[in-house]
Amino acid sequence: MATAAHALTPLPQLSRAVADWVNSVRELTQPRAIHWCEGTDAEARELTAQLLRGGELKALNPEYFPGCHLYRSAPSDVARVEHLTYICTRSQEDAGPNNHWMDPQQAHAKMRELFRGCMRGRTLYVIPYCMGPIDSPLARCGVEITDSAYVVLNMLIMTRAGRAALERIAHDGDFVRGLHSVGELDPERRFIMHFPEEIAIESFGSGYGGNALLGKKCHALRIASWQARTEGWLAEHMLIVGLQNPRGETHYLACAFPSACGKTNLAMLIPPDSLPGWRAFTVGDDIAWLHPGDDGRLWAINPEAGYFGVVPGTNPQTNRNAYEMIRRDTLFTNVALTADNQPWWEGLTTGKPVLDWQGRPYDPARGPAAHPNSRFTVSARRNPGYSPHAEDARGVPISALVFGGRRREVAPLVYEARDWQHGVLVGASLASETTAAAVGQVGVTRRDPMAMQPFCGYNFGDYWQHWLNVGAKLVRPPRIYHVNWFRRDAHGKFLWPGYGENLRVLAWMLDRCAGKAGASESAVGWLPRPADLDTRGLHVGAEALAALLTVDAALWRKEVAELREYLGRFGSHLPQALLAELESTEQRLA
Ligand code: OXD
Ligand code: MN
């Protein structure tokens, strides 16, 4: 039964530790007012009204997009900033060559100067939040302090935020401290600092997504990966999807892909009409916390409660459920507008943009109408395919882990690792073309082990050893796969249709797990032969399918030589077992 509002303990009295921290931040940042977030709908409505009055939010066409709003970020603040993101550990070796590192004392001193007085004339918001179902022993809590009401609105959608989270913090004792200020949005005064040894985050100068919604990348990946290592679990950049086969059995897969490579689409997969009887259920679209269970299987929860998805490309053909989901109660960031105030983005086949993402009259000569990294923020409950088990306290059991990159060549459509140890090498070997999700050049192939290059809070060498250790605890480990939906032919055309058709590949994996599907052995792992895939109704020529399922030994020898060079950078931290796997692969390719 709901308790009357007047009977509730005031939020600042719930946790002494949180109140003391808020006080010390108040002294440093000098805000005009403090707002503790209750997490109620009324509060979200009030904050929305306030941003609408101030012109920071724009209401979208209420007939076609009820409850939807547009936010435009500063043009220099539209993506994650990996070059300004630091892991601050006492020893640089603990952060590893995969991270930018700063000494914690130096970083704190630098950030103190940036934060000093930065909230004068602003409101300081306190957002207690829980990552994961509020009653799950696998969930972890944090508190974000921010001076951005836009960040609050996002956090209210993306996490379980408010009173219940603070009650849990008061009970559990510990919480991740995340301090954020948009500052002056000056790219020259922007830093995203992580202190895993203190479970703390300090982010200044950006109001955008992964830089500012601290529960997401900063907490649920960078800090959580560190916590997971100490506690014996894994925090991964993975979607979680349940697939129900025509016999009514559901199996769950957790899939790691770099940013903007289709995780949301795969998590919300719509089975093609030619594969009747299949259904897909989304548990999560970006992050998975994986725990070895008492039964020797790997269990997963999604720490998030919403989706912060890439908008361009979303349409009824590519992702009907996402298209429907974002037509109501959705916060859009950096999309274009039509004449009748509907959001517009590249990939929509209807409507016409009149204002671009910066609010200027649309001129194709200036580039796309919507920013390529424009986003929607929406509650997971709006997803018509939201899994009935997404909120289960113990999570869902994982049958297969899938790594995938965006590669024009080299990586075949799919292959299966020989065992867990080999699978760790397969994950570590992930490489992908860069996307607009982070500032920097787009389309360059870079190493992105386990899709965690921007997100692992410690030395990758130690991280791979931790993966091996977790595998050793699993009596029934998931099988491990690698996929590439992005292979192209000599003319640059995609060989594989992707989207719902990916189900054919996932179905093969699940049949392999059940010991029912065939495969042929290659130097890099097990591949389906064309006949092993269900190709009923699939419009892919025999030649294209053969190309998709080919391992080109010459290209792979080059690939593996590059991988050896890359892994060598981790020196004594590189697990011997991984090196041995690499050597076996080299021998098979020789
Ligand atoms: C994201 C990302 O926003 O990976 O999920 O950049
Ligand atoms: Mn992501």
Side-chain angles (χ1 to χ4, degrees):
M1 207 181 75
T3 323
H6 65 265
L8 294 175
T9 310
L11 289 172
Q13 289 173 24
L14 275 180
S15 158
R16 185 62 195 261
V18 175
D20 286 351
W21 179 53
V22 170
N23 265 333
S24 68
V25 172
R26 180 181 53 78
E27 277 167 26
L28 176 67
T29 60
Q30 302 284 308
R32 171 173 49 89
I34 297 189
H35 174 120
W36 288 71
C37 295
E38 281 280 358
T40 59
D41 290 346
E43 178 179 59
R45 277 196 302 274
E46 262 167 49
L47 285 169
T48 303
Q50 175 192 315
L51 287 177
L52 283 166
R53 281 195 301 276
E56 279 185 73
L57 275 191
K58 199 171 160 44
L60 295 170
N61 185 313
E63 192 183 335
Y64 298 108
F65 286 86
C68 294
H69 298 93
L70 167 65
Y71 178 84
R72 292 192 183 110
S73 56
S76 60
D77 187 30
V78 292
R80 286 185 291 97
V81 282
E82 292 176 13
H83 59 298
L84 302 173
T85 299
Y86 287 78
I87 299 296
C88 309
T89 42
R90 285 190 296 271
S91 151
Q92 182 165 4
E93 241 182 291
D94 287 338
N98 45 304
N99 281 303
H100 299 295
W101 173 85
M102 202 179 287
D103 170 74
Q105 279 187 10
Q106 193 193 338
H108 279 309
K110 191 179 195 65
M111 297 306 277
R112 246 190 123 66
E113 287 323 302
L114 291 173
F115 280 114
R116 195 180 298 288
C118 73
M119 296 191 191
R120 279 201 189 99
R122 301 181 185 172
T123 298
L124 177 159
Y125 297 94
V126 183
I127 319 167
Y129 63 86
C130 179
M131 301 308 290
I134 196 93
D135 59 345
S136 170
L138 312 181
R140 295 284 184 279
C141 290
V143 176
E144 173 163 359
I145 292 180
T146 179
D147 53 9
S148 161
Y150 163 76
V151 165
V152 178
L153 283 183
N154 276 277
M155 288 289 287
L156 291 176
I157 299 172
M158 295 300 298
T159 70
R160 282 99 174 161
R163 178 171 292 273
L166 192 54
E167 281 168 353
R168 184 166 163 164
I169 290 170
H171 178 264
D172 290 358
D174 66 341
F175 63 97
V176 171
R177 287 159 204 247
L179 174 54
H180 169 255
S181 169
V182 290
E184 316 86 44
L185 294 175
D186 177 357
E188 300 301 319
R189 283 161 54 82
R190 182 174 291 165
F191 288 100
I192 325 294
M193 303 282 194
H194 302 76
F195 305 88
E197 288 150 333
E198 303 162 35
I199 58 165
I201 305 154
E202 293 177 7
S203 164
F204 189 91
S206 167
Y208 192 80
N211 304 327
L213 317 180
L214 301 186
K216 193 173 181 61
K217 305 302 185 179
C218 301
H219 175 162
L221 286 174
R222 299 196 189 97
I223 298 290
S225 60
W226 178 286
Q227 290 180 302
R229 181 187 172 208
T230 6
E231 297 170 12
W233 51 282
L234 295 164
E236 297 299 323
H237 193 204
M238 291 178 173
L239 67 93
I240 308 163
V241 66
L243 293 178
Q244 190 186 83
N245 64 23
R247 293 183 299 282
E249 301 151 352
T250 302
H251 292 276
Y252 296 89
L253 300 97
C255 315
F257 297 88
S259 308
C261 285
K263 279 203 299 301
T264 306
N265 288 334
L266 190 62
M268 298 179 70
L269 181 140
I270 313 261
D273 292 341
S274 51
L275 294 182
W278 283 88
R279 292 183 69 186
F281 299 99
T282 317
V283 177
D285 82 327
D286 194 43
I287 300 176
W289 285 356
L290 305 162
H291 289 254
D294 295 340
D295 60 355
R297 289 191 290 176
L298 194 59
W299 290 74
I301 60 163
N302 168 19
E304 300 191 280
Y307 309 131
F308 181 69
V310 176
V311 192
T314 308
N315 66 42
Q317 283 72 46
T318 55
N319 190 340
R320 191 173 66 237
N321 280 348
Y323 183 73
E324 290 307 325
M325 170 176 80
I326 61 180
R327 297 188 79 81
R328 182 181 274 278
D329 300 332
T330 299
L331 181 48
F332 288 91
T333 300
N334 294 339
V335 293
L337 284 180
T338 63
D340 65 347
N341 210 29
Q342 294 191 51
W344 194 92
W345 53 86
E346 275 66 22
L348 277 187
T349 46
T350 54
K352 230 174 53 194
V354 296
L355 294 182
D356 72 7
W357 63 276
Q358 297 187 57
R360 305 172 302 187
Y362 172 54
D363 174 0
R366 283 198 285 233
H371 189 277
N373 192 34
S374 51
R375 299 282 179 143
F376 55 75
T377 318
V378 65
S379 164
R381 289 167 192 241
R382 289 262 326 125
N383 174 3
Y386 192 44
S387 165
H389 297 290
E391 316 254 347
D392 284 5
R394 65 175 187 165
V396 294
I398 298 296
S399 301
L401 293 175
V402 183
F403 297 111
R406 183 187 282 270
R407 300 292 302 267
R408 291 176 161 262
E409 48 183 20
V410 186
L413 178 63
V414 58
Y415 62 96
E416 180 186 281
R418 307 160 81 84
D419 53 23
W420 182 275
Q421 181 168 299
H422 179 227
V424 176
L425 180 72
V426 168
S429 73
L430 205 70
S432 192
E433 293 156 24
T434 50
T435 67
V439 168
Q441 212 184 335
V442 169
V444 222
T445 302
R446 71 160 177 182
R447 293 270 149 214
D448 193 351
M450 278 81 171
M452 284 287 279
Q453 167 52 43
F455 307 122
C456 182
Y458 62 103
N459 191 318
F460 260 153
D462 302 334
Y463 168 78
W464 296 319
Q465 183 59 56
H466 180 54
W467 262 81
L468 294 169
N469 297 347
V470 168
K473 282 196 250 170
L474 300 171
V475 181
R476 288 193 279 164
R479 291 202 189 199
I480 300 183
Y481 296 86
H482 185 287
V483 299
N484 177 19
W485 315 131
F486 301 94
R487 271 289 286 274
R488 307 222 198 179
D489 67 13
H491 310 288
K493 201 169 151 280
F494 287 110
L495 285 167
W496 180 250
Y499 300 106
E501 304 294 351
N502 294 337
L503 176 59
R504 299 171 194 278
V505 174
L506 306 180
W508 173 76
M509 293 174 187
L510 294 182
D511 278 348
R512 289 283 297 166
C513 295
K516 288 188 195 147
S520 73
E521 196 174 7
S522 82
V524 301
W526 294 88
L527 270 79
R529 296 155 298 198
D532 295 320
L533 289 178
D534 186 342
T535 52
R536 282 172 300 159
L538 173 72
H539 302 290
V540 173
E543 224 176 281
L545 198 54
L548 281 161
L549 298 175
T550 302
V551 172
D552 180 323
L555 279 180
W556 269 93
R557 277 194 288 273
K558 191 163 161 279
E559 177 78 7
V560 170
E562 281 168 21
L563 179 61
R564 175 179 271 281
E565 193 274 321
Y566 171 76
L567 294 178
R569 290 184 213 164
F570 296 88
S572 60
H573 288 261
L574 181 67
Q576 282 306 312
L578 217 56
L579 203 54
E581 278 301 332
L582 180 73
E583 276 158 13
S584 312
T585 308
E586 285 170 335
Q587 277 158 21
R588 289 192 298 269
L589 281 164

